[in-house]
Amino acid sequence: MHLAYPAVLSVLLFCTGLYGVLARRNAILVLMSVELMLNAVNLNLVAFDVWLSKAAEETLHSGQALTLFTIAIAAAEIGIGLAIVLAVHRNRGTSDIDKLRDTAEGPDDGPDDDGPGTGTPAAGPAAEKAEATA
């Protein structure tokens, strides 16, 4: 078998995963797209390992060993990622990436700006200290 067949399949899988990461707004679908990209890399590693083992007299199968490490890391990544997505969904009620802000911010946390030229002092500990010393 030629090296081109698995390489083209790997490129198609990677491009499909990349499109899924860039176009999807659901966090679970983004995680699935990342997994698709990792599987494309695994297919490429194994294909090049088989191709290089035919050319070399001594075979170490390092591509297959790297693939096993990648599978283990991908399993840990999807476990932690899915746990984070489920925790965010419980707290916020949505897994839409566009609707989620920084997890440290609350719904009313944001800059308190009344507009330009209002002349209101900034609230916070620095403003209270400035008023106390004045």
Side-chain angles (χ1 to χ4, degrees), residues 62-119:
S62 58
Q64 294 177 12
L66 284 173
T67 299
L68 289 175
F69 285 121
T70 307
I71 290 171
I73 290 171
E77 175 258 335
I78 197 67
I80 293 171
L82 192 58
I84 291 171
V85 168
L86 288 176
V88 167
H89 187 272
R90 281 185 194 156
N91 289 336
R92 301 286 175 108
T94 183
S95 62
D96 189 8
I97 295 175
D98 288 335
K99 294 180 182 175
L100 297 177
R101 295 192 317 193
D102 189 10
T103 56
E105 294 180 2
D108 293 332
D109 290 345
D112 293 332
D113 189 17
D114 295 333
T118 57

Side-chain angles (χ1 to χ4, degrees), residues 6-115:
V8 168
L9 180 62
S10 176
V11 166
L12 289 175
L13 284 174
F14 191 85
C15 289
T16 305
L18 185 64
Y19 173 74
V21 167
L22 296 176
R24 299 292 178 185
R25 295 296 101 202
N26 190 349
I28 294 176
L29 292 178
V30 170
L31 284 174
M32 288 174 57
S33 298
V34 169
E35 290 296 319
L36 192 63
M37 291 168 57
L38 286 172
N39 285 330
V41 170
N42 288 340
L43 177 65
N44 223 2
L45 281 171
V46 171
F48 273 98
D49 182 50
V50 169
W51 181 65
L52 289 174
S53 68
K54 289 180 182 178
E57 294 175 6
E58 296 179 11
T59 58
L60 296 176
H61 298 293
S62 58
Q64 294 177 12
L66 284 173
T67 299
L68 289 175
F69 285 121
T70 307
I71 290 171
I73 290 171
E77 175 258 335
I78 197 67
I80 293 171
L82 192 58
I84 291 171
V85 168
L86 288 176
V88 167
H89 187 272
R90 281 185 194 156
N91 289 336
R92 301 286 175 108
T94 183
S95 62
D96 189 8
I97 295 175
D98 288 335
K99 294 180 182 175
L100 297 177
R101 295 192 317 193
D102 189 10
T103 56
E105 294 180 2
D108 293 332
D109 290 345
D112 293 332
D113 189 17
D114 295 333

